Amino acid sequence: MAKALILEQHDGQTQGTVKEVSLEQLPAGDVTVDINWSSINYKDALAITGKGKIIRDFPMIPGIDFSGTVHTSDDPRFQPGQSVLLTGFGVGETHWGGLSQQARVNGDWLIPIPKGLDQRKSMIIGTAGLTAMLCVMALEDGGVTPQSGEVLVTGASGGVGSIAVALLHQLGYQVSAVSGRVHNAEYLLSLGAGLVLERNSFEEPAKPLEKQRWAGAVDVVGGSILAKVIAQMNYNGTVAACGLAGGFQLPATVMPFILRNVRLQGVDSVMTPQDRRLKAWQRLSELLPESFYQRATSEIGLDEVVKAANSLMDGKITGRVLVNVR
């Protein structure tokens, strides 16, 4: 038997309870993993609190990422005792996920823990870190270099934003961070931000074109803040957009794209091809300094997940929440 957070729906309300599940109850897959670590991402919080239509079939074990040790495998690429990690592919949404002591999954969804990381560090990074790295790679693909000018990160106090700030700083970019929590300024400066801006300075409706300011941007928020950022991009600037915590509507015009040659690049980490996924993970293992793992992480147990998910939705979580499922 393994402990897991089980989400069930009663009278339209989502309820999460830690229960025991047997190996026989796990869904189909060719690799069974003994999970040691998972994390709480924004999508997990939406699922656990029921504030987003993430899960449609109940019961469900949430958790869109995990790391652990292969227990049994019918996939020749993975052997018992091997350290692996998983992010995305619908795990924790349509397939029982990582907030459990065991999971059975498709081997195509797993990757070996990269050299330079262990299981714990890989989940401090987790889906948030993979997404942040993919955003940085999108800026690079758009021609944004450290010499191009300032790079902006919105939603910088959260998991994706925090890691994006740290990665960009390590790569030599001049980083400005936007946060709705002014008290986190010291934290963001410690990660490498050169300037911390209050979110309210981005909340006024965007003009079609505003003063050029940013060579690149990583946007975790969406909505009107993304529109404001686009209007302020330099000529040839690139915006990597990966979140919609501020809304999915985009009240912008085409003028920055046409008159300033601005690129808006969407970033998805769920179905990212394995070759790009592996490249991103290797770069994460090489770029993030040891200090990041201490500064950006709080650790909880499986029985604290529901409370932490509610805190994340209320904007009370800074950085990454690591879950020790043992």
Side-chain angles (χ1 to χ4, degrees), residues 101 111 185 199 211:
Q101 292 178 336
I111 67 169
R199 184 174 61 201
K211 182 179 179 180

Side-chain angles (χ1 to χ4, degrees), residues 37-71:
W37 302 98
S38 186
S39 71
I40 304 178
N41 300 277
Y42 184 70
K43 187 181 285 186
D44 296 314
L46 285 171
I48 292 164
T49 60
K51 294 180 179 178
K53 293 182 179 179
I54 304 299
I55 296 169
R56 300 185 184 278
D57 294 316
F58 294 87
M60 176 60 64
I61 296 175
I64 64 172
D65 52 25
F66 66 75
S67 62
T69 305
V70 174
H71 182 80

